Amino acid sequence: MAEEKYTRQTVTHVRAWVPGKLFSLRVSRDPAYAFQPGQFARLGLAAEDAHDCAAPPGLWRAYSMVSAPHEAELEFYSIVVPEGQFSPRLARLRPGDALYVDKTPFGFLTLERFPDGEDLWLLATGTGLSAYMSILRDPTVRRRFRRVALVHGVRTAEELAYRDEIQALAGQDPGLTYLPIATRETLPGMPQDRLTTLVADGGLERLAGLALDPARSRVMLCGNPAMLADARKLLGERGFAPGRRGIPGNLAVENYW
Ligand SMILES: Cc1cc2nc3c(=O)[nH]c(=O)nc-3n(C[C@H](O)[C@H](O)[C@H](O)COP(=O)(O)OP(=O)(O)OC[C@H]3O[C@@H](n4cnc5c(N)ncnc54)[C@H](O)[C@@H]3O)c2cc1C
Ligand SMILES: NC(=O)c1ccc[n+]([C@@H]2O[C@H](COP(=O)([O-])OP(=O)(O)OC[C@H]3O[C@@H](n4cnc5c(N)ncnc54)[C@H](OP(=O)(O)O)[C@@H]3O)[C@@H](O)[C@H]2O)c1
């Protein structure tokens, strides 16, 4: 019989960050599953009409790894799209339930994209934070970059998932700056603006105490496709571009939908 392209893993822990909207889950990890921080997994669920529990998974979606490569389990952070086929079912999983994981990790939102550079900017909206958690939990990033600025744009403060963990990391590490940005609520001491507005008016640089300099800075973008398009345009005007045909770039982008 041909070897399967996926493994069957077991949910061990579920956390609701915003009930009905944002949650994370941890699953067991196949010891052979190796990945780079910033990569994504393909997760599978059995087809909804499959009554045979040995039926192969029929529905697959991409999910960035939140967990770092050294962690024993895999962790994922997800939105619930009410009309979506996959995320409402993923949100209903409970410890002991099965989740299938494609044996191959995917994606290029990894530090390897940037062979050099001094400062790393990680810009995310919403669940785009996922990939950056894996990068932040791995020690490589702080060996590679003098300064790291993580900017997380959300609508309201309750959507600032992983905030305590990131603040704890930043509290121990003066080279790591965390900028939580809410657009529909006022966060004390922070502007109530989209992160693109803050790129355009220099607000992010002032808040981080760090210049966005194409020669020294490396930028990752992840999350809402409209944000990616707007940010790419703004950053492009300032000399940031993805790598092409073997020429290393200073911008890496991951589109979630
Ligand atoms: C490389 C990659 C990595 C991804 N990583 C994550 C992740 O870490 N966490 C995560 O929640 N999703 C992630 N996604 C999106 C994920 O694959 C699914 O699309 C999502 O979970 C919704 O699945 P669905 O079947 O319920 O709805 P779908 O039919 O897949 O999507 C329906 C609509 O929901 C909206 N939507 C989809 N995903 C999101 C999202 N993440 N945030 C806001 N709106 C969304 C879009 O308008 C989309 O057209 C990633 C996608 C890609 C391509
Ligand atoms: N969050 C909710 O309470 C809520 C409620 C109902 C439905 N939904 C649906 O859930 C999905 C995801 O919602 P979400 O709140 O997680 O993600 P989102 O809509 O991508 O918003 C996350 C953050 O990204 C910002 N943003 C959006 N477009 C941008 C752009 N072009 N440039 C810069 N920043 C941009 C938003 O600012 P703005 O606030 O300025 O848009 C917000 O701060 C959406 O399809 C939404 O319709 C969400």
Side-chain angles (χ1 to χ4, degrees):
M1 204 173 84
E3 202 192 336
E4 304 292 7
K5 287 189 151 91
Y6 55 83
T7 62
R8 181 187 195 277
Q9 301 300 322
T10 306
V11 176
T12 60
H13 185 78
V14 181
R15 172 170 184 174
W17 294 92
V18 180
K21 183 173 182 211
L22 293 168
F23 67 99
S24 55
L25 47 81
R26 298 187 73 92
V27 300
S28 55
R29 173 179 173 184
D30 180 13
Y33 189 75
F35 63 94
Q36 297 288 320
Q39 284 197 298
F40 65 90
R42 274 173 47 78
L43 302 183
L45 291 169
E48 196 131 40
D49 53 2
H51 299 298
D52 173 3
C53 56
L59 195 56
W60 292 92
R61 288 291 183 275
Y63 276 86
S64 298
M65 247 78 66
V66 166
S67 44
H70 65 263
E71 293 182 60
E73 296 184 322
L74 296 177
E75 182 171 342
F76 303 100
Y77 171 53
S78 180
I79 192 165
V80 184
V81 178
E83 66 283 8
Q85 275 189 290
F86 193 93
S87 56
R89 288 185 59 204
L90 191 71
R92 287 197 295 272
L93 295 182
R94 289 295 167 260
D97 289 342
L99 183 65
Y100 297 88
V101 180
D102 191 301
K103 285 181 180 172
T104 308
F106 300 89
F108 301 100
L109 194 72
T110 58
L111 297 183
E112 285 174 0
R113 285 299 277 274
F114 304 132
D116 61 0
E118 288 183 36
D119 308 322
L120 179 68
W121 289 80
L122 303 172
L123 309 185
T125 54
T127 54
L129 177 72
S130 308
Y132 301 153
M133 290 310 301
S134 182
I135 290 172
L136 289 179
R137 287 180 180 183
D138 186 79
T140 314
V141 68
R142 297 297 290 116
R143 288 200 290 266
R144 283 279 320 275
F145 293 94
R146 185 182 65 96
R147 291 278 312 270
V148 178
L150 169 70
V151 186
H152 189 198
V154 293
R155 295 182 181 192
T156 58
E158 67 171 5
E159 295 167 2
L160 290 169
Y162 296 96
R163 188 181 187 175
D164 291 347
E165 178 180 340
I166 303 164
Q167 278 174 335
L169 286 172
Q172 297 158 11
D173 179 356
L176 172 63
T177 302
Y178 172 48
L179 299 176
I181 307 285
T183 45
R184 305 192 187 186
E185 191 176 311
T186 308
L187 284 182
M190 301 301 278
Q192 190 181 332
D193 280 319
R194 286 183 162 191
L195 63 83
T196 41
T197 307
L198 297 168
V199 169
D201 69 8
L204 279 190
E205 291 162 284
R206 281 192 296 278
L207 286 165
L210 189 62
L212 266 168
D213 171 354
R216 296 179 5 178
S217 313
R218 303 293 173 257
V219 181
M220 290 185 169
L221 294 174
C222 193
N224 182 315
M227 180 280 285
L228 300 186
D230 293 351
R232 274 185 83 143
K233 185 166 182 299
L234 284 166
L235 290 165
E237 289 161 2
R238 298 195 38 183
F240 288 90
R244 251 179 339 122
R245 296 198 189 103
I247 304 162
N250 48 15
L251 180 67
V253 181
E254 185 98 275
N255 204 339
Y256 271 14
W257 69 93

